[in-house]
Amino acid sequence: MNILLCGLLFILAIGVIGCEAESSSGPSSVSESTTPESDAVSNDEVGTTVETASPVYVKPDPVVTLSPSPSPTSTIDTGGGTGFLIDSASTATSTQIDYTSEQWSKVWLCSDSDIESTDLTAGGTQTCSVLTEVVGDDLRVNSTGIPNHDFESTLGCCATEQNSVWTIPLKPELSYEDPVQAPERGAVAFTVTGVAIYGPEEGPGGDAVALEYGYFEEDRQPVDLGICGGHAGPGGEYHYHYDSNCMHWHEDSQDISEYVVGLAASVVSKVVGFAFDGFPIYSTYEENSAGKSIEMTSSYRLKIGEDGYDGIEDYEFMEGIGDLDECNGHFAVTPEAPNGTYHYHSTLTNGDGDLGFPYFPLCYKGIVNEDNTQTTDSGRVPPQPPDFAGGRPPPPR
Ligand SMILES: [Zn+2]
Ligand SMILES: [Zn+2]
């Protein structure tokens, strides 16, 4: 009898332990799914707590450093919104992008029908054409690389139709590693019209946009940006260095030669492209939670005494001067992602009202699709880790 009772108690005890084991794994998953969505959707506060193991990003060479990293499980109060910190809850709600869904399939331009665009430098027309297809877990985008608006090839004349292939994951995911630096030159992203988006640097190594605004004299190789921040490069690949908002402004067939940067304000919460990690890039202006259109500003500024002649290295990240993190992105609600998603912006100014460097993504918060830098014929170089110390990769041109 006693033995039987003991046996019963033993079984009960095992049962209790079993339950505890289950319930102890429960809360973490529950908390991930029930943590307030406001974390993910706030426009104003970019992640204020860390609940995950090691996602604190510390920019490699700058001014602001989060010192010393606390124990992985602790909560960091970053006070004034320092640092881009990946919140596990935000991650959980932010990775719900699915590029096969209806709202995302509508963002492409030049996909339903081709658009003929005039090269205002060279004369003649080129065709903007975009074809998307699902290949495995990826969305593959084939394009001619020609914008959906009349354009200026300028000095790199002339743009020619390309056989561009861009690949992004159907469901982009944030990385828990440090962000991967975008290639210093050449394509870092592409537009919904299938056009290349380049980083700030031109062939000689200067910031093409700072040059355009007269910050320095280019004595190495003449460079000129055309309408909407784009021009053609060797190989005929048309690309944007900044702006690109006119791809949407142009929809009402106004004369593109009337486009000036200030008109970007009329393009609000529009998808302009995708970074190589698959996360979307939005227009310079977005509608905030109060329904107001606001300009998204970058958080970089020129180092004292620098003018952009040496490109990226002339800038420093200054936490909090603008709206965006060191990759030029943030978490917020968008029309396509009502629960909020991480995304980048095209930036025209920083928080001080100066140059909007880096203008497009400077690094990637998500997992980068390696295919992306390898499947095209334009001499792209694969992204380097942020602490890459081997000097710059060879210029793509
Ligand atoms: Zn260029
Ligand atoms: Zn945004």
Side-chain angles (χ1 to χ4, degrees):
M1 186 63 183
N2 276 345
I3 291 169
L4 192 61
L5 196 60
C6 280
L8 269 172
L9 283 172
F10 181 70
I11 288 164
L12 272 174
I14 296 282
V16 168
I17 290 165
C19 280
E20 279 180 351
E22 260 181 27
S23 62
S24 72
S25 67
S28 65
S29 53
V30 169
S31 72
E32 275 189 9
S33 57
T34 57
T35 306
E37 284 182 0
S38 57
D39 274 359
V41 301
S42 164
N43 266 345
D44 305 316
E45 296 171 32
V46 180
T48 52
T49 57
V50 171
E51 295 170 357
T52 48
S54 58
V56 182
Y57 173 63
V58 181
K59 179 88 176 131
D61 77 352
V63 189
V64 180
T65 331
L66 292 176
S67 59
S69 208
S71 78
T73 49
S74 66
T75 296
I76 301 170
D77 182 358
T78 58
T82 14
F84 172 86
L85 304 169
I86 298 173
D87 182 321
S88 61
S90 303
T91 309
T93 52
S94 70
T95 51
Q96 291 169 357
I97 284 180
D98 181 348
Y99 288 134
T100 58
S101 64
E102 200 196 337
Q103 69 265 37
W104 284 104
S105 65
K106 287 189 278 195
V107 304
W108 301 100
L109 299 176
C110 300
S111 61
D112 292 338
S113 57
D114 293 352
I115 292 178
E116 298 296 317
S117 302
T118 299
D119 185 337
L120 300 171
T121 303
T125 61
Q126 306 273 345
T127 304
C128 173
S129 180
V130 170
L131 180 72
T132 60
E133 55 179 339
V134 174
V135 179
D137 293 332
D138 293 327
L139 185 69
R140 189 174 293 171
V141 182
N142 304 278
S143 67
T144 54
I146 298 295
N148 67 329
H149 55 80
D150 293 347
F151 60 94
E152 295 172 314
S153 282
T154 79
L155 303 173
C157 195
C158 306
T160 53
E161 291 172 19
Q162 310 282 304
N163 293 309
S164 300
V165 181
W166 314 98
T167 309
I168 53 173
L170 288 175
K171 297 177 180 180
E173 291 175 40
L174 284 170
S175 168
Y176 286 93
E177 307 293 322
D178 286 347
V180 172
Q181 206 70 32
E184 289 195 347
R185 301 187 205 170
V188 300
F190 64 98
T191 68
V192 294
T193 53
V195 172
I197 291 174
Y198 276 24
E201 293 190 3
E202 256 317 320
D207 175 350
V209 183
L211 175 62
E212 183 71 13
Y213 282 86
Y215 278 58
F216 65 90
E217 292 284 323
E218 179 54 79
D219 53 10
R220 296 160 289 194
Q221 173 190 312
V223 173
D224 183 30
L225 294 180
I227 279 166
C228 209
H231 65 179
E237 187 176 51
Y238 184 84
H239 55 274
Y240 298 102
H241 284 280
Y242 79 117
D243 197 351
S244 83
N245 290 286
C246 72
M247 76 179 74
H248 292 296
W249 176 82
H250 185 253
E251 277 177 342
D252 21 29
S253 27
Q254 286 145 304
D255 180 357
I256 191 69
S257 64
E258 290 169 15
Y259 181 82
V260 290
V261 157
L263 288 168
S266 65
V267 178
V268 182
S269 293
K270 290 281 199 176
V271 180
V272 298
F274 298 91
F276 287 167
D277 59 5
F279 283 101
I281 305 169
Y282 278 80
S283 51
T284 303
Y285 286 77
E286 82 176 3
E287 191 175 299
N288 69 7
S289 49
K292 200 175 162 203
S293 171
I294 48 170
E295 180 180 0
M296 290 288 106
T297 56
S298 71
S299 302
Y300 283 83
R301 68 178 184 194
L302 281 166
K303 294 174 184 167
I304 291 171
E306 302 297 344
D307 54 16
Y309 184 88
D310 293 319
I312 294 169
E313 68 181 58
D314 278 1
Y315 291 85
E316 60 189 0
F317 179 61
M318 289 300 292
E319 199 74 61
I321 66 168
D323 303 298
L324 305 177
D325 64 26
E326 74 282 3
C327 292
N328 226 28
H330 70 156
F331 280 101
V333 165
T334 73
E336 288 76 18
N339 291 325
T341 180
Y342 185 78
H343 60 275
Y344 306 95
H345 279 279
S346 163
T347 48
L348 295 171
T349 62
N350 68 5
D352 290 338
D354 207 339
L355 291 173
F357 178 96
Y359 318 111
F360 287 113
L362 187 65
C363 50
Y364 304 113
K365 288 290 185 179
I367 297 167
V368 177
N369 189 323
E370 297 291 334
D371 290 350
N372 230 350
T373 50
Q374 292 161 7
T375 53
T376 59
D377 57 1
S378 57
R380 291 182 191 127
V381 292
Q384 302 293 342
D387 57 350
F388 178 69
R392 0 187 100 148
R397 41 173 77 193

